[in-house]
Amino acid sequence: MRNVAFVAPFYLPTTLRFLEAAAGLEGVRLGVITQEPVEKTPPSLRRRIAAVARVDDALSAEGIHAGLRQLSAELGGIDRLLGALEELQVPLGELRDALGLPGMGAEAARNFRDKARMKDVLRAHGLPCARHALVRDAAEALAFSADAGLPLIVKPPAGSGARGTFRVETPEQLRVAVAMSAPSADRPTLIEEFVGGDEHSFDAVSIGGQVMWHSINHYLPSPLEVLREPWIQWCVLLPREVDSPRYEEIRRVAGPALDALGMETGLSHMEWFRRPDGTVAISEVGARPPGAQFVTLISHAHDFDLYEAWARLLVFDAFDPPARPYAAGAAYLRGQGHGRVRRVAGLEKIAKDLGPLAVEWRLPRPGQARSASYEGEGYIIVRHPRTEVVEEALGRIITRVRVELDDGPST
């Protein structure tokens, strides 16, 4: 029996799916460290959790350590420590190092979390990525732009999910973006060369430093484009042909990149570009499960539960690579304008049109506030054995379904 501590600062829907998966593993006694009141733990989950430690700050090493002391006293020690959020990976690594627990340590976690450090490591190993610099003021940013050219990308070094990321095309836009990020000597801003081309992800399971399995996604369009254009209802496509020769170059460099960054055993999320000339460039890599419903999407494409597989991987260092019998895709439903959802037009027709192609829906609800995330107010997931059928279905969804907000268009 293994005593496992799962850090879940907040009971977000995706976090609860990972928690449910970990709680369902045989041979595990699960303890949870959270900021949530104990009574907010869902009853179905509460029955399968051995202990809950409530702390004031479940995102810091100090707060998590306080929770670990409580769980250790109740469970008789802790064998594994895990959490799914990007922001948790460094404090979890620090605690694993300090307590002698298995799993990724702090140095490797920082390689993944600090995007400037990540690119330094990749370039030192001769791996393709955008040129970059950490700047402390507009003068340093303009000096970099004189060498690298425009456009450029401005982002926080420890960001995730394209949050706080801007594309700048003129010196004035660069000055404004840098000023908005308020850099300093202790808190510089990352700027990097803009890499044109198609954007993809490479999600991989590694055991003992070896890539055991991977999945490839297409962003339609790129997350940065989605952030720039709030009206876009975007899609992610998982082609069934994951072993196609067109992905040979990213398969060639992904394993060495993960190895250089220090990935031993875990699930990673790599974002990468295919340039118009066919070469690839790694954008950034996370040492955690992907967001934006990718875990759900990958689960549907492979007809298995990646939430459960991730938990089993981190607790038992075990993974059974699944086949990929389907292509799958997600269409993200985003309202235009501001305010709350008034209605969703086109749902009845698209539901009848899609039929069994649609395997999961999370629909915007009337009265729901506009999401602050680029994921939007809801999504529809489709799958089929043929990639072209999925791609065509995604196109139908985003052109026929419209989320109307109270200040949005009326029919």
Side-chain angles (χ1 to χ4, degrees), residues 33-77:
I33 299 171
T34 184
Q35 293 176 213
E36 301 278 25
V38 174
E39 59 271 18
K40 283 195 68 175
T41 306
S44 62
L45 186 58
R46 197 179 307 159
R47 291 191 292 267
R48 297 190 291 161
I49 293 176
V52 176
R54 188 180 184 279
V55 299
D56 292 333
D57 184 2
L59 287 166
S60 71
E62 294 79 9
I64 297 168
H65 196 192
L68 281 173
R69 288 194 295 268
Q70 180 180 329
L71 292 183
S72 184
E74 293 189 46
L75 301 179

Side-chain angles (χ1 to χ4, degrees), residues 170-306:
T170 67
E172 181 56 30
Q173 289 178 352
L174 179 58
R175 290 189 188 94
V176 170
V178 170
M180 288 176 61
S181 65
S184 65
D186 296 330
R187 187 179 169 274
T189 288
L190 175 63
I191 62 174
E192 61 183 48
E193 170 189 15
F194 173 75
V195 179
D198 299 325
E199 189 168 2
H200 307 262
S201 75
F202 184 96
D203 301 287
V205 166
S206 301
I207 296 180
Q210 297 295 317
V211 174
M212 307 296 293
W213 166 91
H214 70 277
S215 175
I216 289 174
N217 301 350
H218 294 212
Y219 295 89
L220 307 167
S222 72
L224 187 57
E225 179 89 7
V226 173
L227 284 174
R228 293 178 68 198
E229 304 290 353
W231 58 269
I232 291 177
Q233 295 192 126
W234 62 294
C235 303
V236 171
L237 171 69
L238 280 71
R240 185 176 181 186
E241 303 79 14
V242 70
D243 294 323
S244 167
R246 68 185 303 222
Y247 307 122
E248 181 178 350
E249 184 63 12
I250 189 60
R251 287 194 295 266
R252 184 184 69 82
V253 301
L258 291 169
D259 184 58
L261 294 169
M263 173 58 71
E264 286 292 326
T265 296
L267 173 61
S268 56
H269 174 65
M270 177 183 295
E271 296 181 345
W272 61 280
F273 289 90
R274 185 199 308 280
R275 297 186 179 95
D277 65 2
T279 61
V280 304
I282 298 169
S283 174
E284 53 187 57
V285 196
R288 40 77 184 173
Q293 302 302 321
F294 279 25
V295 175
T296 303
L297 192 55
I298 292 169
S299 296
H300 283 299
H302 295 83
D303 217 12
F304 90 133
D305 186 349
L306 185 56

Side-chain angles (χ1 to χ4, degrees), residues 328-353:
Y332 299 87
L333 308 178
R334 307 172 83 211
Q336 299 181 35
H338 304 282
R340 297 182 176 272
V341 174
R342 178 159 57 89
R343 73 172 189 133
V344 184
L347 276 180
E348 289 187 9
K349 185 174 181 181
I350 199 67
K352 182 177 180 180
D353 191 29

Side-chain angles (χ1 to χ4, degrees), residues 59 85-91 113 158 160 163:
L59 287 166
L85 296 179
E86 169 91 7
E87 298 85 346
L88 287 171
Q89 302 314 310
V90 171
R113 178 68 171 145
S160 66
R163 289 188 292 250

Side-chain angles (χ1 to χ4, degrees), residues 309-332:
W310 172 81
R312 183 176 300 279
L313 173 69
L314 266 64
V315 173
F316 296 112
D317 303 323
F319 183 79
D320 185 13
R324 189 155 171 157
Y326 299 101
Y332 299 87

